Amino acid sequence: MIPKDKHRRILLVAIASSVLGAAGLTMTTGYAAAQEGCVEISGTDPIKETQTMDPAFLWGDDDAMHIWSVYEPLIHLDETFQPMPRLAESWEANADATQWTFHLRKGVKFHDGSAFAAKDAVYSINRLTDPNVASPAAPAMSFMEGAVVEAVDDHTLSITTQSPVVELPVLLSSKFALMVKDGTPSTELAQTANGTGAFMAPDYVRAADVRKLVANPDYWDPELPKSDCLLITVKTDPLAMTAGLLSNEVDYAPVIDGSTARSLQKADNVELLASKQGSFLTFAMWTQTPPFDDVRVRQALKLVIDRQVMVNAALLGFGVATNDHNIPPFFPTAAHSTVPEQDIERARELLKEAGYEDDLEIDLFSSEIQPGLTKMSTLFAQMASQAGVKVNVVTMPSSSFWDEVWNKRPFYTSSWGLRSTADGLSVAHRSDAGWNETQWQREDYDALLDKAAQTVDPKERTELYRQAQIMLEEEGGTINPVMATAVAAVSKDCGGVRLYATQTPDFRYLYCDR
């Protein structure tokens, strides 16, 4: 007789195989690997050529899953963006926020057995702004220009800035700001793993189909991690993800698309979790390349969109309509709590003023790097046609999108994780941002962010951030119609999920009962 639990699993595998068969797919080796007792985590955004273990070059969700398991920040942000202690146990500032002191956790070791100390924090922070390193974190850390970062003693870090930086703890919680060992060169950091994190990656191979992380036996919190090992994979096909979750091949998927969520709503072995976090799904226009160098064209292409229709049709309702920047309308720092209405007539007027009258034709390069983007692109083309614009949607495979399309074409889809206000307005929009995907170059915009970072009064600071948002809405090259709600799926045999931002994950509490 087959035991009840085993019978249930066989049945689920059969159902999953049927789902895969309908899609012309086969089961992966991950199911067998999961039997090792590891928790299998599957993402949807593969990063091959740009994948790294170096925190200073963390690219996307795929990198984040292993990097944030191996390395740790001084401070991390919880689900509500509140700074929480990690390797820094506490911190304080002087009255004008130019002198910050961080008290570091004692008894922390790197995976090679060496002790974590303030000198490592000095190296890690300075490395992010070092032009020889050229980290994409640097533009968002202009507040550190001229700053002095010092180790007062082994467990005390001092940062003195030239101007007030009132949000320094939040800014230091950037996805890049993870602690590496003093003096480790970039070439070594890209390919090897020696952090203080709860998991180790002794066999890390860049761009491998499966990354195995094992529990750190000397982790500073003896109660963590809750699982012995993690297997990290990627499933780009929604049917494969559905089948993997149904068969318990996948234990935890930090983000699934709306169609996968709908198909799993009645599954008896999977629980769906909705997070306050999410990802912006965007269209990026190069603001210095025709026809997008004409602000009237950019404004018209923003006005053709019915944003709520995109939420309903492309995300199946799992999201919110947004404005054209990285600050969602429900943030207290948002310039507007509402979003623009579709206005085809005004879009036509703007296009006519720009010299286009039913004769504008543009190529939009799209890919399912985030669930919903290709559907969103098709909807955009349909909406733009109402204003006389022909949009040719060029669909690219997600495996090569970041290397062959992103920031290499004048009009393409993109995606950004939710960040703090200061980081969200900087990372893709400052003139010198390494990820300035719209080639937006505005000194007056940069000046607003600089002034905000130095403004102690929170109301005045928020007002400056709102002015920056309005500038992006009216003149920027980003069309940002929606933010997809982060819907996670986890096996009902598992627990301990922390719904933090997908690019700053925390798998320390994750476990599965086998």
Side-chain angles (χ1 to χ4, degrees):
M1 178 180 289
I2 299 173
K4 184 177 179 181
D5 287 349
K6 187 173 182 180
H7 183 276
R8 176 171 169 269
R9 173 160 290 202
I10 290 172
L11 177 61
L12 291 170
V13 171
I15 294 171
S17 298
S18 175
V19 172
L20 286 170
L25 301 170
T26 58
M27 294 286 284
T28 70
T29 57
Y31 178 76
Q35 305 314 298
E36 299 176 17
C38 300
V39 176
E40 180 156 337
I41 304 169
S42 188
T44 60
D45 181 16
I47 295 175
K48 289 291 187 180
E49 298 304 318
T50 54
Q51 190 189 94
T52 182
M53 185 58 88
D54 187 345
F57 291 89
L58 190 159
W59 185 265
D61 294 0
D62 194 26
D63 282 320
M65 290 192 289
H66 59 257
I67 291 177
W68 270 72
S69 298
V70 168
Y71 292 96
E72 295 183 287
L74 295 179
I75 299 161
H76 75 260
L77 300 181
D78 68 8
E79 190 182 5
T80 61
F81 277 82
Q82 295 302 307
M84 306 294 290
R86 182 74 73 90
L87 293 183
E89 291 185 303
S90 62
W91 51 88
E92 68 260 359
N94 63 357
D96 67 355
T98 57
Q99 174 71 54
W100 287 84
T101 302
F102 296 84
H103 303 284
L104 307 186
R105 189 178 299 278
K106 298 177 181 176
V108 177
K109 292 182 179 179
F110 286 100
H111 298 164
D112 66 1
S114 59
F116 167 72
K119 65 178 181 180
D120 303 305
V122 172
Y123 177 71
S124 301
I125 294 170
N126 284 337
R127 187 169 175 268
L128 296 179
T129 57
D130 184 345
N132 293 320
V133 174
S135 166
M141 298 187 69
S142 60
F143 59 89
M144 292 294 289
E145 185 174 348
V148 177
V149 186
E150 297 178 295
V152 178
D153 57 40
D154 280 353
H155 301 103
T156 308
L157 176 73
S158 170
I159 299 179
T160 305
T161 57
Q162 292 190 332
S163 304
V165 184
V166 295
E167 294 184 293
L168 188 60
V170 173
L171 295 168
L172 285 182
S173 64
S174 154
K175 69 176 184 179
F176 305 104
L178 301 172
M179 298 298 106
V180 301
K181 186 174 178 178
D182 181 28
T184 310
S186 297
T187 51
E188 186 175 331
L189 287 166
Q191 301 186 45
T192 61
N194 182 31
T196 65
F199 291 95
M200 305 186 297
D203 302 318
Y204 172 72
V205 176
R206 182 171 167 270
D209 289 337
V210 179
R211 282 151 279 163
K212 183 175 181 178
L213 309 182
V214 297
N216 175 7
D218 297 319
Y219 190 57
W220 51 266
D221 186 339
E223 301 298 319
L224 300 175
K226 297 295 187 183
S227 55
D228 293 334
C229 57
L230 306 177
L231 293 175
I232 296 174
T233 64
V234 173
K235 295 187 185 303
T236 58
D237 187 282
L239 283 175
M241 179 66 85
T242 300
L245 287 161
L246 284 173
S247 67
N248 288 346
E249 175 195 2
V250 175
D251 295 307
Y252 176 48
V255 180
I256 57 174
D257 70 347
S259 62
T260 304
R262 298 238 173 194
S263 65
L264 292 171
Q265 282 180 327
K266 295 183 179 179
D268 64 358
N269 67 317
V270 177
E271 182 180 5
L272 301 181
L273 307 171
S275 168
K276 295 178 182 176
Q277 305 283 349
S279 296
F280 296 101
L281 307 187
T282 71
F283 304 115
M285 302 177 282
W286 279 0
T287 56
Q288 299 180 34
T289 299
F292 312 109
D293 58 341
D294 190 320
V295 69
R296 294 167 296 188
V297 171
R298 301 199 296 270
Q299 291 169 342
L301 293 178
K302 294 177 181 180
L303 285 171
V304 302
I305 299 174
D306 187 324
R307 297 169 192 244
Q308 191 56 49
V309 166
M310 282 200 169
V311 171
N312 297 341
L315 304 181
L316 301 180
F318 293 101
V320 295
T322 53
N323 290 295
D324 295 315
H325 45 66
N326 297 21
I327 311 302
F330 55 80
F331 259 29
T333 53
H336 302 107
S337 59
T338 59
V339 300
E341 298 286 337
Q342 184 187 50
D343 192 339
I344 298 296
E345 183 177 348
R346 178 57 182 153
R348 280 188 173 276
E349 290 175 356
L350 287 165
L351 289 169
K352 186 175 182 180
E353 291 171 12
Y356 300 101
E357 205 163 0
D358 292 329
D359 58 354
L360 177 59
E361 181 173 349
I362 51 180
D363 292 337
L364 169 61
F365 288 80
S366 181
S367 179
E368 199 72 351
I369 50 170
Q370 284 288 329
L373 271 174
T374 51
K375 178 64 175 176
M376 208 171 87
S377 300
T378 301
L379 288 168
F380 175 73
Q382 294 170 351
M383 294 172 181
S385 70
Q386 299 175 52
V389 180
K390 183 178 181 181
V391 178
N392 305 309
V393 178
V394 183
T395 303
M396 301 290 289
S398 55
S399 58
S400 60
F401 183 83
W402 295 110
D403 300 313
E404 297 179 9
V405 174
W406 188 82
N407 226 354
K408 295 181 175 63
R409 303 282 186 173
F411 191 37
Y412 54 94
T413 55
S414 186
S415 175
W416 294 91
L418 186 60
R419 291 169 161 81
S420 67
T421 298
D423 193 18
L425 292 174
S426 297
V427 67
H429 306 297
R430 289 191 72 102
S431 299
D432 59 350
W435 293 345
N436 184 350
E437 61 182 8
T438 62
Q439 301 186 355
W440 168 257
Q441 304 282 332
R442 288 287 293 266
E443 292 183 357
D444 49 350
Y445 177 82
D446 299 342
L448 279 173
L449 299 189
D450 289 340
K451 188 175 181 180
Q454 300 168 11
T455 301
V456 176
D457 184 272
K459 290 184 178 179
E460 292 180 12
R461 186 167 66 251
T462 295
E463 177 55 30
L464 292 165
Y465 284 140
R466 287 173 176 162
Q467 291 177 35
Q469 292 168 51
I470 291 169
M471 189 179 294
L472 288 172
E473 292 169 7
E474 295 179 349
E475 302 178 57
T478 297
I479 304 175
N480 190 14
V482 303
M483 188 182 85
T485 302
V487 179
V490 61
S491 166
K492 289 184 178 177
D493 293 334
C494 305
V497 171
R498 294 289 188 272
L499 296 174
Y500 299 158
T502 55
Q503 294 191 10
T504 58
D506 186 351
F507 299 141
R508 293 178 299 164
Y509 301 89
L510 188 61
Y511 67 92
C512 293
D513 293 326
R514 301 296 183 188

